[in-house]
């Protein structure tokens, strides 16, 4: 099978390219570093003939710096995906694996002792400023326990990146309905691992912590470090892409987009991640700062059950081994 892989030179895209080639896929690479922009319809028209499927990893990532980033996120993620989908329709390419993100959920799911499963709204700045980080029940104001969020949860994006990742899904779903194509969105949770970019404001939290440690500085952990996330290794993410592509080839769900959480299923706190990286590098202990960002959410705990049942995906790289490797490779 011939596959067009966008974002092929990126952190995740590079690992996906390797995983596809191990399974004997013919990979056509498209990446800005190679002079191919998915917003360039003419370039896509040169690449798509003979292609059987597209794995779309190209995107502007990260929370962003400020509202000045809005146009670039919308252009790279929403407009770029629209140009790609239109080109796929022109060339009759009917299979798509999209790099989605858990950020589309906004705040995760919670259990209230009185009202059961609830989804809190955005946290108030005055609460964050006073160190009250945990969301409260939107019905009774009581304390909540984090619960697993499934793919059926209503989306609630909280920043520009999240809004454009959700827009990608909506555009892909529209493409699938109108063309009869089959699309999968793999909602990555917090991806980390070798070749993760560092020293950029758009990097992930694992990379930010590691950059500080390699410079001899203590990682600075926002809030109180108790934010829960699911950290999934990049090789597991790459394998999920291969499994999703195979599923589309075996029994395509024509005319729809199907979303899957790509996660380890074992949540950790941000503070745990910082401490594990500090231990692996022999660097200084993390410092919790009490700082916060309004675009951040408190807890996002994933349910990977659908991916396990329908794609056969289960994460293989454990947190301790993955973090140790991440640190070891970076130190070399």
């Amino acid at each position: 099978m011939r596959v067009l892989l966008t974002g092929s030179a990126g952190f995740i895209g590079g690992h996906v390219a390797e995983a596809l080639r191990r399974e004997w896929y013919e990979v056509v690479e498209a990446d800005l570093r190679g002079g191919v922009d998915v917003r360039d319809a003419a370039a896509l028209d040169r690449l798509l003939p003979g292609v059987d499927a597209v794995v779309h990893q190209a995107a502007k990532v990260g929370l962003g710096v400020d509202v000045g980033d809005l146009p670039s996120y919308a252009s790279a993620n929403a407009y770029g995906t629209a140009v790609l989908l239109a080109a796929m329709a022109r060339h009759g390419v009917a299979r798509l694996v999209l790099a989605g993100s858990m950020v589309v959920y906004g705040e995760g799911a919670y259990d209230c002792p009185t009202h059961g499963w609830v989804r809190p709204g955005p946290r108030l700045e005055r609460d964050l400023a006073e160190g009250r980080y945990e969301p409260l029940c939107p019905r009774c104001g009581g304390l909540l326990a984090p619960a697993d969020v499934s793919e059926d949860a209503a989306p609630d994006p909280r920043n520009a990146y999240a809004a454009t990742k959700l827009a990608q899904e909506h555009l892909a779903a529209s493409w699938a309905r109108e063309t009869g194509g089959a699309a999968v969105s793999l909602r990555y949770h917090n991806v980390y691992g070798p070749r993760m970019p560092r020293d950029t404001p758009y990097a992930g939290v694992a990379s930010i912590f590691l950059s500080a440690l390699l410079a001899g500085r203590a990682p600075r952990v926002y809030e109180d470090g108790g934010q829960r996330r699911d950290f999934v290794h990049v090789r597991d993410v790459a394998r999920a892409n291969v499994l999703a592509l195979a599923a589309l080839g075996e029994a395509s769900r024509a005319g729809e987009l199907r979303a899957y959480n790509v996660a380890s299923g074992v949540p950790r706190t941000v503070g745990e991640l910082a401490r594990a990286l500090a231990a692996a590098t022999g660097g200084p202990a993390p410092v919790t700062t009490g700082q916060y960002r309004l675009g951040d959410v408190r807890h996002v705990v994933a349910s990977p059950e659908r991916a396990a049942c329908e794609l056969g995906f289960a994460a293989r790289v454990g947190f301790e081994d993955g973090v140790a490797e991440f640190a070891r490779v970076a130190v070399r």
Side-chain angles (χ1 to χ4, degrees):
M1 180 185 288
R2 186 176 172 88
V3 178
L4 175 65
L5 173 62
T6 72
S8 57
F11 163 49
I12 297 175
H15 285 275
V16 173
E18 293 169 359
L20 289 170
R21 290 194 172 103
R22 281 195 297 270
E23 298 299 320
W24 300 102
Y25 287 96
E26 180 183 356
V27 180
V28 179
E29 297 193 23
D31 194 278
L32 275 174
R33 297 180 200 179
V36 179
D37 190 330
V38 294
R39 294 167 290 191
D40 184 342
L44 294 175
D45 285 336
R46 292 191 296 270
L47 295 175
L48 281 169
V51 164
D52 301 295
V54 172
V55 177
H56 184 30
Q57 303 291 320
K60 184 178 177 70
V61 300
L63 186 61
V65 176
D66 54 39
V67 292
D69 281 328
L70 284 169
S72 58
Y73 275 105
S75 177
N77 298 351
Y79 179 67
T81 299
V83 173
L84 174 64
L85 293 169
M88 290 173 65
R90 285 196 301 277
H91 293 274
V93 182
R95 299 172 188 167
L96 171 69
V97 177
L98 171 67
S101 175
M102 60 84 177
V103 295
V104 301
Y105 296 123
E107 193 66 61
Y110 294 81
D111 282 321
C112 171
T114 304
H115 298 105
W117 194 87
V118 296
R119 297 285 303 282
R123 296 178 293 171
L124 300 177
E125 184 169 13
R126 65 172 179 268
D127 289 336
L128 296 172
E130 294 175 6
R132 295 191 296 272
Y133 305 122
E134 294 292 338
L136 300 177
C137 177
R139 298 179 63 184
C140 68
L143 296 176
L144 299 171
D148 289 350
V149 63
S150 75
E151 295 86 349
D152 295 325
D156 185 17
R158 302 285 176 88
N159 54 61
Y161 174 59
T164 57
K165 294 305 287 184
L166 183 58
Q168 286 184 317
E169 289 195 1
H170 288 323
L171 290 165
S174 177
W175 165 85
R177 285 192 299 271
E178 294 188 29
T179 66
V184 161
S185 178
L186 300 177
R187 291 176 176 169
Y188 304 157
H189 284 250
N190 288 67
V191 186
Y192 73 98
R195 307 201 297 268
M196 192 175 187
R198 299 202 310 270
D199 302 316
T200 163
Y202 303 96
V205 65
S207 179
I208 292 170
F209 289 163
L210 188 58
S211 292
L213 287 161
L214 294 179
R217 302 190 306 271
R220 295 176 61 81
V221 181
Y222 280 17
E223 301 184 17
D224 60 358
Q227 311 94 304
R228 285 159 62 92
R229 298 290 187 271
D230 192 306
F231 298 99
V232 59
H233 196 275
V234 67
R235 285 197 299 274
D236 283 326
V237 170
R239 189 165 50 83
N241 277 269
V242 174
L243 292 170
L245 188 58
L248 288 179
E250 292 168 2
S252 78
R253 300 173 180 272
E256 71 171 24
L257 177 140
R258 187 79 164 156
Y260 296 93
N261 283 326
V262 175
S264 72
V266 183
R268 304 280 180 166
T269 68
V270 173
E272 283 181 274
L273 174 67
R275 290 190 293 274
L277 284 169
T281 59
V287 174
T288 53
T289 68
Q291 292 175 278
Y292 58 88
R293 298 184 298 186
L294 290 177
D296 281 342
V297 297
R298 181 62 174 174
H299 305 298
V300 184
V301 179
S303 170
E305 182 178 352
R306 180 184 290 178
C309 292
E310 298 185 12
L311 301 181
F313 171 77
R316 294 175 178 173
V317 181
F319 178 79
E320 291 81 5
D321 290 342
V323 168
E325 179 204 21
F326 178 43
R328 183 174 64 251
V329 170
V331 168
R332 286 177 185 168

